Amino acid sequence: MRRNSGELAKMRKAGRVVAEIHEATRAAIRPGVSTAEIDRVAREVLDRRGAGSNFLNYHGFPAVVCTSPNSMIVHGIPSETVILEEGDIISIDCGAIIEGYHGDAAYTTGVGTVSPEATRLMEVTERSLYAGIDQLQPGNRLHEVGRAVQQVAESAGFSVVREYVGHAIGTAMHEEPQVPNYWPGTPGPTLRSGMVFAIEPMVNAGGPATRLLDDGWSVVTADGRLSAHFEHTIAVTDEGPEVFTVL
Ligand code: MG
Ligand code: MG
């Protein structure tokens, strides 16, 4: 779907709130902090900006952020009993709604000093996101995003998750079409200015296989190795991709 300039203005505002949550949660992340505290920090930003949460109560999800440490890929539930430790990595995924329009973005960061492999995994995953974003040009095909993400991740010796993908976004967080982080086997739709997507590579240090934990939410790597997740909400414009979820 193509959004008009008024809609894009609202999505820009929603994206900015998400970026503010990223800034505030980054500042809160340190050894000894619970993931529930990260959720509280995010709620404060949403409240201050008069924004709604598209995560809270989504299919019953109980928080405004997903907090996914180490081998957890996505959808971790914030908890008072999950305490960040020196050397962990933690993925934070969150969203915001302003005037009915949605933003959605994620990042992974280290808690204190992390291993060289963890650092490289995070760097490569973020680089793969921007390689995907670069493909969001009018006239290009959507599958070029996944091809670019996959190329960056796999050439670094990592793998991309298949079961969870990016998506169009607008008046709902998850709209069609989906945006795989790999070559999907068939060409995607042609991109036009005004289309908005959440591009979100999930990159694993080991194999791509995933496992759902008994809580029905938390998705972890099947091999127990680290995973990183970076996401932005981006509009296709005639001047190139415009990332909404930045300050
Ligand atoms: Mg997200
Ligand atoms: Mg998303």
Side-chain angles (χ1 to χ4, degrees):
M1 179 178 293
R2 300 174 74 175
R3 303 289 172 184
N4 64 35
S5 60
E7 292 178 298
L8 294 175
K10 291 171 184 171
M11 296 193 74
R12 202 172 280 122
K13 283 188 199 168
R16 193 175 170 84
V17 173
V18 178
E20 287 181 35
I21 295 171
H22 281 197
E23 185 179 55
T25 53
R26 272 185 191 278
I29 288 170
R30 61 184 176 279
V33 166
S34 72
T35 53
E37 174 63 17
I38 296 169
D39 186 63
R40 282 192 288 274
V41 167
R43 285 175 196 248
E44 283 171 13
V45 176
L46 289 167
D47 290 346
R48 185 168 2 110
R49 293 298 178 212
S53 172
N54 39 17
F55 279 46
L56 185 63
N57 299 324
Y58 182 88
H59 296 283
F61 192 78
V64 303
V65 294
C66 295
T67 51
S68 307
N70 299 321
S71 64
M72 197 174 289
I73 302 167
V74 285
H75 304 165
I77 300 171
S79 168
E80 302 289 355
T81 61
V82 176
I83 309 295
L84 300 180
E85 293 179 22
E86 176 84 21
D88 283 347
I89 65 170
I90 176 85
S91 297
I92 306 293
D93 191 0
C94 63
I97 311 170
I98 293 280
E99 297 174 62
Y101 287 82
H102 291 242
D104 181 15
Y107 68 92
T108 304
T109 191
V111 181
T113 304
V114 303
S115 71
E117 181 187 57
T119 300
R120 196 169 75 87
L121 177 66
M122 292 189 287
E123 286 173 356
V124 167
T125 307
E126 188 168 26
R127 187 149 50 81
S128 78
L129 167 61
Y130 280 93
I133 290 172
D134 283 346
Q135 296 300 321
L136 291 176
Q137 309 286 347
N140 208 350
R141 302 287 288 263
L142 186 59
H143 66 265
E144 297 296 347
V145 171
R147 194 133 72 180
V149 167
Q150 184 175 24
Q151 162 67 25
V152 170
E154 292 184 354
S155 67
F158 300 138
S159 66
V160 297
V161 169
R162 301 298 199 276
E163 291 90 346
Y164 305 89
V165 296
H167 47 94
I169 180 169
T171 51
M173 177 161 61
H174 295 140
E175 297 185 347
E176 293 294 325
Q178 293 189 336
V179 187
N181 295 302
Y182 51 91
W183 161 243
T186 52
T190 300
L191 299 173
R192 303 289 179 208
S193 63
M195 292 178 169
V196 186
F197 298 98
I199 307 297
E200 51 178 314
M202 288 144 267
V203 176
N204 294 349
T210 69
R211 189 163 65 86
L212 181 66
L213 297 189
D214 288 341
D215 64 16
W217 282 105
S218 306
V219 179
V220 299
T221 57
D223 60 13
R225 293 185 63 187
L226 296 176
S227 187
H229 181 204
F230 283 84
E231 177 181 28
H232 276 306
T233 296
I234 311 106
V236 179
T237 84
D238 290 331
E239 290 75 45
E242 180 184 351
V243 180
F244 285 160
T245 38
V246 289
L247 293 176

